[in-house]
Each structure stands twice: as C-alpha cells, then as structure tokens.
Amino acid sequence: MNRKRGLGAAFALAFLSLSGCDGTPLSYMAGSGSASADTLQWIAWGFSGIAILVTLIIAAMIGLAIRASLRNARKSPDDTVSRVDDGLGFIYWGVGISMPVLITMAVWNFVATRAIAEPGASPRMTVEITGHRWWWEIRYRDADHPDQVVTTANRLVIPTGVPIRIELASADVIHDFWVPKLGPKMDMIPGKTNVTWLEARDAGTYRGQCAEYCGVEHARMALQVTALAPVEYSRWFTAERAPAAPPDTRGRTVFLDHCAACHSVRGTAAAGIYGPDLTHFANRPTIAAGLLPNTAAMRDRWISDTQGVKPGALMPQVALSDADRAAVVRYLGALR
C-alpha cells in the first residue's frame, strides 16, 4: 500500500512539475505563437512521455532481474550468484525494447526539425540581431528602402503571418537567440553569422532570452518580441524610421555632453556605437534588456545606480547632478 502511495506521489509530482511550466513566458511545453513552435512542442511532449515509459520499463526489467538473481542465489548450495539463469535475460529484453524506441525518437526529431528548418515561403524581410553583453542590437533592413536601416534594442517588432529572416551575430562572446513560443533557437558566435527564421501566427508579446551562459548578467539578457498585424507593423516601422524630435533642450544638452559617446539618437548629433541606439527610446516598454519597466522612476534608478541594478553592465557610472539626471530622464521619456 505504501509503495502504491509512493508511486502515485511521484507521478503527481512529475505532472505538477510539468504543469508548472504552463503560463510561463519561456515555457516551450505549452502555448505557442507559430506553427514551428507547435512542432517543437509535440516533440517535447512526445519525448517526455516516451522517456517516462522507457524508464518504467527498464526499472521493471531491472527489478525482475534482481529478483530472479536473488531467488537463484537462495537455491544455490553455497549461496552465490551464478551467471546461469541470473536474470540477464531481462536486461537483454530491456535493451532490445529501448533501442528501437530511441532510434524512432532520433528519426522523428530529425524529420520534424528538418521540416521546419526553412520557411514555407521565401522571407522578404531580414532583421540583423547582434548579441552584446548584455543586450540585443536589432537592425531592420526594409526591402522597399534598402538604404534605410532602422536600429533598435531589446525589442523585436514583427508583422504576423510573415516569415522573417534573422541574421545572428555576436559582438563579444557566444550568445544564443531563443524565443521558445515562436520556435527558433540558435547560437550567436563572434566572427560568424548564423541564419534562422521565425514567423508569428498570432499577435502578441513573446519573451526571448539568451540561452547560452555569457557572463554574470546572462540571466538578465532578455528580449521582447512584439507581433503586430501587418497594417500596425507598417505604421510602427514608418514612425520608427523617422528621426526623433525631442523637445527637452536641457536634457538634450546634458545627454549630448555625457552620453553621446556611446549612444546614438537619429536626428541629433549623438552617434555613439558602443551602447544601444536610443532613437524612439520612450516607445520601448522596458529598459536594461527587459529588466525594468520604462518609467521615469526606473530610468532615474538606472542612470543613478547602473552597477547596483545590473552588476557587470558595461555602461559606466556617469556622475550627474540631481537636476541634470532629472533632465536626462525627461529627455529620454520624450524620445518618441
């Protein structure tokens, strides 16, 4: 009776652990926004079920083998285990059953992932994404305006129902681009450009994350993917392509004096390339690669104590008076 209760508790714990993945933004076991993510989800659930079944079969075989071996030992005159009828046959059966299953899993995985390796239609749109410690640089190249490149950070906006070609690179160490509910996952390697693709079926917001340990702030290198209806996306891209026109004169002056060496804002003299492009910064829902909401209080916190908020971030602590810092916070809030 106790054994049955223990087995039931183990199953309950396993299913509770899996169900705990539901509703979490990085769960690839439940919920998706693309056909390729659906395929990967079926593989994940299928492999989990097969792995549990194979484990139970092998455990049963081992248990029967041990039981047979002990029974034979008790029958032996000198109470020793013999290699004759010692239960090895159960081991052979276990291996014989599990090997075809494992081969089937490998073939299933190969065929399914191969089928989604390329999009159904040729992508008309390419987005370049570069991983930095610890943020994402995103560059849009519009097929209709190839000379105009729109650069943003930490937020990828895409139209629904359109396959997007993604070129992945790294500026420093190995990162890994991963958006679980949309499917793609691929390494970003310094000196090499990898290519993948994604397509959002449903409008909404999807969480991405660097999936390769890249340093102390690896866990705080998040990416937000916003999928919009094509008409809304066109409206967003038109606005994003325009230069920023911030009205705050003092904040703009302080920003140009202290921040422009690293950051750029199109439409101003700020043309730094080391930090994120901050054009239309106020339209981004979060700052610091998804770490904080983009509010005036959080912008002030980030500027006043960058290393305290995100230890190891490459942004230096800039000494500003309270008045100058408040002016910069207002200026950033006006970059729409």
Side-chain angles (χ1 to χ4, degrees):
M1 185 66 179
N2 290 334
R3 289 173 57 188
K4 291 181 178 178
R5 287 180 177 175
L7 189 60
F11 274 113
L13 181 62
F15 281 109
L16 282 174
S17 299
L18 291 174
S19 63
C21 298
D22 292 351
T24 56
L26 293 178
S27 170
Y28 57 89
M29 300 289 281
S32 73
S34 71
S36 57
D38 289 345
T39 299
L40 296 175
Q41 194 175 102
W42 274 108
I43 293 176
W45 278 109
F47 279 22
S48 297
I50 292 172
I52 292 173
L53 181 62
V54 169
T55 300
L56 292 176
I57 292 174
I58 292 177
M61 291 295 180
I62 292 175
L64 291 173
I66 293 174
R67 182 182 177 186
S69 180
L70 293 176
R71 184 175 62 242
N72 292 335
R74 284 193 293 270
K75 292 179 180 177
S76 173
D78 53 358
D79 199 27
T80 58
V81 177
S82 169
R83 292 189 64 83
V84 179
D85 296 331
D86 57 358
L88 279 177
F90 291 104
I91 302 296
Y92 297 147
W93 271 105
V95 174
I97 292 173
S98 59
M99 285 303 294
V101 173
L102 293 173
I103 292 173
T104 301
M105 292 169 68
V107 172
W108 179 19
N109 181 64
F110 175 79
V111 172
T113 55
R114 183 68 181 169
I116 61 173
E118 301 291 339
S122 179
R124 287 193 65 252
M125 178 177 165
T126 296
V127 179
E128 301 171 3
I129 301 180
T130 301
H132 297 261
R133 290 178 296 174
W134 288 272
W135 60 281
W136 308 83
E137 180 181 3
I138 300 165
R139 295 163 62 86
Y140 295 81
R141 294 190 181 278
D142 185 5
D144 298 327
H145 305 85
D147 56 326
Q148 297 184 13
V149 178
V150 171
T151 303
T152 66
N154 302 318
R155 185 193 184 206
L156 173 63
V157 181
I158 58 174
T160 56
V162 177
I164 312 295
R165 185 174 186 267
I166 306 287
E167 295 184 356
L168 299 169
S170 173
D172 36 54
V173 299
I174 297 176
H175 301 280
D176 191 285
F177 177 80
W178 186 38
V179 187
K181 292 189 182 300
L182 293 182
K185 181 180 183 302
M186 183 167 284
D187 278 350
M188 309 168 79
I189 303 171
K192 178 179 175 61
T193 299
N194 284 336
V195 178
T196 185
W197 72 281
L198 62 78
E199 178 178 343
R201 177 185 54 211
D202 306 317
T205 300
Y206 304 91
R207 168 73 184 272
Q209 175 67 40
C210 178
E212 180 80 23
Y213 180 72
C214 55
V216 64
E217 290 296 342
H218 156 71
R220 293 175 174 177
M221 187 174 169
L223 173 72
Q224 186 183 81
V225 180
T226 301
L228 303 174
V231 173
E232 293 180 21
Y233 171 79
S234 297
R235 192 178 303 126
W236 172 86
F237 188 76
T238 299
E240 199 72 17
R241 197 168 53 199
D248 191 313
T249 303
R250 175 172 180 176
R252 176 173 172 157
T253 300
V254 176
F255 182 87
L256 291 176
D257 289 344
H258 295 85
C259 311
C262 294
H263 295 284
S264 60
V265 176
R266 281 180 285 114
T268 75
I273 60 174
Y274 296 106
D277 184 306
L278 300 182
T279 310
H280 306 298
F281 172 81
N283 294 335
R284 300 171 192 170
T286 62
I287 62 175
L291 182 59
L292 300 172
N294 190 3
T295 64
M298 292 299 105
R299 290 195 294 272
D300 182 78
R301 180 186 172 194
W302 173 252
I303 295 172
S304 62
D305 186 22
T306 305
Q307 293 303 314
V309 174
K310 199 167 184 175
L314 300 185
M315 176 172 160
Q317 195 66 60
V318 179
L320 296 174
S321 67
D322 290 346
D324 284 347
R325 190 174 68 249
V328 172
V329 168
R330 287 195 304 271
Y331 171 71
L332 293 174
L335 290 174
R336 295 189 180 279

